[in-house]
Amino acid sequence: MARTTLVTGGAGFIGSHTCVELLRAGDEVVVLDDHSNSSPEALERVAKIAGRPIAAVHVADVRDRKALDAVFASHPIDAVIHFAAKKAVGESVRIPLAYYDINVGGTTALVSAMHAHGVHRLVFSSSCSVYGDATTVPLTEESPTAPTNPYATTKWTCERILSDLCRHVPELRVLALRYFNPAGAHPTGLLGEDPRGVPNNIMPFLTQIAVGRRDGLSVFGDDYPTPDGTGIRDYIHVVDVAEGHRTALDHIDDEPGMRVFNLGTGRGASVLELVRAFEKASGRPVPYRVTARRPGDVAELVADPAKVMAAWGWTARRDLAAICRDAWNFQQHNPYGYAS
Ligand code: NAD
Ligand code: WQD
């Protein structure tokens, strides 16, 4: 029988790509999103790519318990993927309480509604930012956690709450997926990253430079203890991340309780390596200048993806060239994002 999955934040960057994978796998998909950081157009495109409709879209805040009750009352939900959250690290330093409220309060409201309606399977969007300033790479799930900003603290706090709950609610099954740096776009050019205002993350910044919306890149520091001095990250294709969620749902009943998995490639790229890969993919030069380090940035974050490979046979299949090619393809087809 087809599984019915509730996807909170399903219109967002990772959520929309995940909805495509779920629909393609035959799931019924119900989305809850307040569109505070997304366009309804993304969901139209999800259905177009998948060739199947989303069962229902509820435009609501994930903290709204009445709205959640209505969603659970009107669909036979088997599992929930919880993407809905605020994700800008810099903003979280300026307005930490909003981050605790939405990210932590949203998660507790959701889990409370799930419990009330007898739904016990949850995939939670966590982040490599819970590891903080890593002293040794690659990072395994056993590496010490030390969040360095309010955003990361919300993800770490949610993990703690969920793990604690699992001890007291034996039927609960939670998979916390710690994504490294999701980037890229759907190869159709229909779905991609469409940040509001100035992008916080490097990949949409690069694509906006190449399409002529921005002049050049500030490389935040070249004095890190890395081979070329610039920060190293584990960029993972968003379609790989989406496939990881579909695989997670297939394995959520393997064991009760809470399990944590890294979703990364295990391969790091420096800022300058990324710039070169993007120039090659786009055929456009990326003017850049080195500026000061960005406060809160760390030298190197790279996943050890062995645990998820051993558990589910899941591995990221797309490389940095594919990430750059697909991100550029989306930007070219949608120079102003979904508003194009
Ligand atoms: P996104 O902002 O594109 O998607 C989040 C979606 O949630 C948006 O559609 C937004 O409108 C919705 N939303 C936000 N607050 C809401 C609320 N209160 N009620 C209902 N809907 C709400 O972000 P994304 O990149 O797709 O990230 C998805 C999840 O993955 C987030 O939890 C984020 O913290 C986590 N994550 C993202 C990254 C990354 O680099 N993109 C890395 C690690 C973890
Ligand atoms: C990548 C690299 C920058 C912009 C963030 C969150 C993390 C996770 C993923 C949610 C770094 C450098 C960037 C620019 C630059 N998100 N850079 N110039 O900071 O690794 O991770 O997104 O969970 O929690 O912190 O991603 O894309 O901002 O930066 O030189 O204009 O690019 O210093 O080395 P980051 P990013």
Side-chain angles (χ1 to χ4, degrees), residues 164-188:
D164 200 32
L165 269 177
C166 282
R167 259 179 249 126
H168 302 290
V169 184
E171 57 273 40
L172 199 55
R173 282 145 163 74
V174 178
L175 298 173
L177 305 183
R178 293 176 178 164
Y179 325 141
F180 277 66
N181 285 57
H186 202 270
T188 56

Side-chain angles (χ1 to χ4, degrees), residues 212-225:
R213 285 173 61 183
R214 310 212 172 261
D215 293 337
L217 179 74
S218 296
V219 173
F220 296 146
D222 66 353
D223 56 351
Y224 285 105

